[in-house]
Amino acid sequence: MRVYVPATIGMLRHLVSEGQLAPVRGTAFSLTPALREAYVSGSNEELEYAALLDAARASLRLLASHDDAEQDSGSGIDEKEPPRRVVIAADVEESDVTPRPDLDSAVVRVAGSVTLDDIAAVHVDAVEAEQAVVAAADAIDRADLGDLDADFVLGEAEDHELAWYAPQEVPFFLELL
């Protein structure tokens, strides 16, 4: 089953160096029955893209996190790493995935870690998106609470398409940062 794991550049480095990464609190996104029900129409590809975009928004939340405990686990803003949204697309056993429609239609809980062998692709913002991503990470909570200006700022970041990297390209991409 394809899942989209929200991450940061630091988490991606951890995945490459350690060979595995546990999603923060086991949270990922996927094409779930609840997501399919939420859309009147849409191909599997369109619905998978919707799940990927949900994971990209969750990546903003990881970037916005200032909790020291989360930073110790590889998430949160790291001043040494570029502020970019990261989504890890991974194929995991369906038995390791539990839908969480109580949280949102695309949210799933992944048991255990995602390994390098599970990775189908990695999606990352380009350098041109960094300023918009920093502003959006700062505004995401206000946008959720209905602040229209913050919602506009969030939209500015989401207007940037994520670049696609094959699994074997990820170490080289990280080396070039």
Side-chain angles (χ1 to χ4, degrees), residues 44-110:
N44 280 353
E45 185 175 301
E46 291 168 322
L47 296 174
E48 292 266 351
Y49 186 67
L52 180 135
L53 293 179
D54 284 349
R57 184 171 280 206
S59 178
L60 284 173
R61 293 184 190 291
L62 293 175
L63 289 169
S65 171
H66 295 287
D67 182 332
D68 290 336
E70 286 186 357
Q71 286 186 19
D72 289 342
S73 69
S75 65
I77 290 180
D78 182 342
E79 298 295 327
K80 297 176 273 180
E81 298 290 4
R84 299 187 194 178
R85 296 173 298 165
V86 176
V87 177
I88 300 165
D91 294 320
V92 299
E93 293 295 325
E94 194 166 342
S95 60
D96 291 338
V97 178
T98 306
R100 291 295 312 269
D102 55 314
L103 297 177
D104 204 357
S105 57
V107 177
V108 296
R109 182 87 52 217
V110 177

Side-chain angles (χ1 to χ4, degrees), residues 4 29-54 105-106:
Y4 300 93
F29 298 80
S30 188
L31 172 51
T32 64
L35 181 62
R36 190 174 300 287
E37 283 181 26
Y39 286 84
V40 176
S41 65
S43 67
N44 280 353
E45 185 175 301
E46 291 168 322
L47 296 174
E48 292 266 351
Y49 186 67
L52 180 135
L53 293 179
D54 284 349
S105 57

Side-chain angles (χ1 to χ4, degrees), residues 120-144:
V122 174
H123 305 269
V124 183
D125 275 312
V127 67
E128 296 82 19
E130 287 181 8
Q131 186 176 5
V133 167
V134 168
D138 184 53
I140 192 163
D141 287 338
R142 293 191 317 276
D144 284 347

